[in-house]
Amino acid sequence: MRAARLIKMVLLLQNRPSMTAAQLAAELEVSERTVTRDALALSEAGVPVCADRGRAGGYRLVGGYRTRLTGLGRGEAEALFLSGLPGALRDMGLEDAASAARLKVSAALLPSLRDAHESAARRFHLDAPGWYQEPETPELLAAVAEAVWDDRWVSARYRRGDGEEVERELQPYGLVLKAGVWYVCARSGSPFRTYRVDRFTAVAVGEARFDRDPDFDLPVFWEERSAEFARSLLRTEVVVRLSEAGVRRLPYVTDRAAAEGALAAGTAEGGLVRVVLRVESEEVAFGQLLGLGPEVEVLAPAALRERFAEAARGLAELYR
């Protein structure tokens, strides 16, 4: 642990003209007294660390000293590719590896390029969770991430959607963060399946490793399963007539793919468009289509049409 901290200290000083003891202590997450001891240890080891006293003083490397300790470890190299996801790195317990990787890459760059990562970070940021959500980090995410990185078998207890808990022996292939929710794509037996990480109630990472299927492609698998899942939810059909404005707005209030497919197959009726729309349920359709107001008329099923009629009568009474 101390050796890694000393290397990090050298890399920090190599990337900046000088740093105060307080700045180093904050970066290294230690006390200023520990910084003083580490600087002395580096000097005794032959690294020319100089301590300048006074208000403008601090620590610096003498004579343009440069270390060649910039080689990336495997874990650091893998974490580096996730540097644009600071929250995800923190949740998976990889923040320190990514920080060390960025330092090593920065130390290897020409002086004129060392602020490149800061320049990019000031201009681009990825915010994964959806609006109006307060994402929570699943308690067992770090353990699942460890198994994913090391290709290790996992013994887990999983709470299904109906509340029943089941035991699974899993080969966790990959993690996906979708709208603030973490999923793990894993194999139990033959088929690959998707599990919500926040539904794991227990996870034990084994010592045994599994051999990854070289044909498994995580982005392709996720795209296919996402489309399949979205289609599986649309179990009900409703028939509606839409105005021109309703046609434009329909893809924004319901499933976009379902809306576009329905509109493509729609028929014109006296300036309106009649479509058969697949939805999750009548309840969901009511909430979604209500947002279109008078730009949509529900024709079927009859129960849903009557519900819209009741809502219209209630609104008319309220605003009379």
Side-chain angles (χ1 to χ4, degrees):
M1 179 66 74
R2 190 189 184 199
R5 189 175 71 240
L6 292 175
I7 292 173
K8 186 174 182 179
M9 183 174 179
V10 173
L11 292 172
L12 285 168
L13 293 175
Q14 184 171 307
N15 289 331
R16 307 182 193 180
S18 68
M19 295 182 70
T20 66
Q23 289 172 331
L24 284 168
E27 289 279 359
L28 300 172
E29 299 182 349
V30 295
S31 66
E32 293 187 27
R33 180 169 295 183
T34 298
V35 169
T36 301
R37 288 198 296 265
D38 286 352
L40 180 60
L42 287 171
S43 295
E44 292 175 349
V47 178
V49 178
C50 177
D52 297 323
R53 300 186 180 280
R55 177 174 296 180
Y59 293 92
R60 59 185 175 85
L61 294 176
V62 178
Y65 175 88
R66 292 182 61 79
T67 176
R68 301 185 66 84
L69 292 172
T70 54
L72 293 178
R74 181 174 181 84
E76 294 169 344
E78 291 171 335
L80 184 61
F81 286 97
L82 295 172
S83 293
L85 297 166
L89 283 167
R90 181 180 61 252
D91 295 344
M92 290 188 291
L94 298 171
E95 190 172 28
D96 289 343
S99 176
R102 286 192 296 268
L103 273 173
K104 290 181 178 181
V105 169
S106 181
L109 294 174
L110 293 172
S112 61
L113 300 177
R114 286 185 193 153
D115 67 341
H117 71 286
E118 294 178 358
S119 176
R122 284 194 294 265
R123 289 167 172 81
F124 301 100
H125 175 69
L126 177 61
D127 185 9
W131 290 105
Y132 315 118
Q133 295 182 14
E134 189 63 35
E136 295 184 4
T137 302
E139 182 179 351
L140 299 173
L141 175 61
V144 175
E146 176 190 350
V148 169
W149 284 114
D150 289 343
D151 296 336
R152 294 187 183 275
W153 280 87
V154 162
S155 298
R157 288 188 61 81
Y158 185 74
R159 187 180 66 255
R160 301 194 308 193
D162 59 7
E164 179 186 359
E165 286 197 1
V166 294
E167 294 186 359
R168 293 286 185 265
E169 296 292 323
L170 300 174
Q171 297 176 344
Y173 268 63
L175 283 164
V176 175
L177 177 59
K178 170 72 170 179
V181 180
W182 284 96
Y183 299 86
V184 61
C185 303
R187 183 158 64 181
S188 178
S190 179
F192 286 96
R193 299 183 184 277
T194 303
Y195 301 85
R196 282 184 58 142
V197 178
D198 58 4
R199 288 185 180 172
F200 285 111
T201 58
V203 170
V205 181
E207 293 296 324
R209 286 186 167 88
F210 60 88
D211 295 324
R212 294 180 68 90
D213 182 346
D215 295 327
F216 178 78
D217 187 314
L218 180 59
V220 171
F221 171 81
W222 178 257
E223 183 178 0
E224 292 175 349
R225 286 303 171 90
S226 296
E228 179 183 319
F229 176 72
R231 288 193 300 269
S232 71
L233 293 177
L234 307 179
R235 305 186 182 94
T236 302
E237 288 186 348
V238 299
V239 183
V240 300
R241 261 197 301 256
L242 298 159
S243 67
E244 184 178 340
V247 168
R248 290 196 304 269
R249 291 168 53 190
L250 184 64
Y252 298 97
V253 300
T254 187
D255 180 84
R256 176 175 289 273
E260 291 175 349
L263 291 171
T267 58
E269 290 187 354
L272 302 176
V273 177
R274 178 190 178 102
V275 302
V276 178
L277 178 68
R278 294 190 63 81
V279 294
E280 185 173 343
S281 65
E282 290 187 23
E283 181 67 29
V284 171
F286 177 76
Q288 293 174 337
L289 297 177
L290 195 62
L292 295 181
E295 309 304 332
V296 62
E297 178 189 1
V298 175
L299 303 177
L304 183 59
R305 179 179 173 86
E306 178 56 31
R307 188 170 179 184
F308 269 85
E310 290 179 4
R313 288 192 291 268
L315 286 170
E317 179 67 23
L318 180 64
Y319 289 100
R320 186 175 56 182

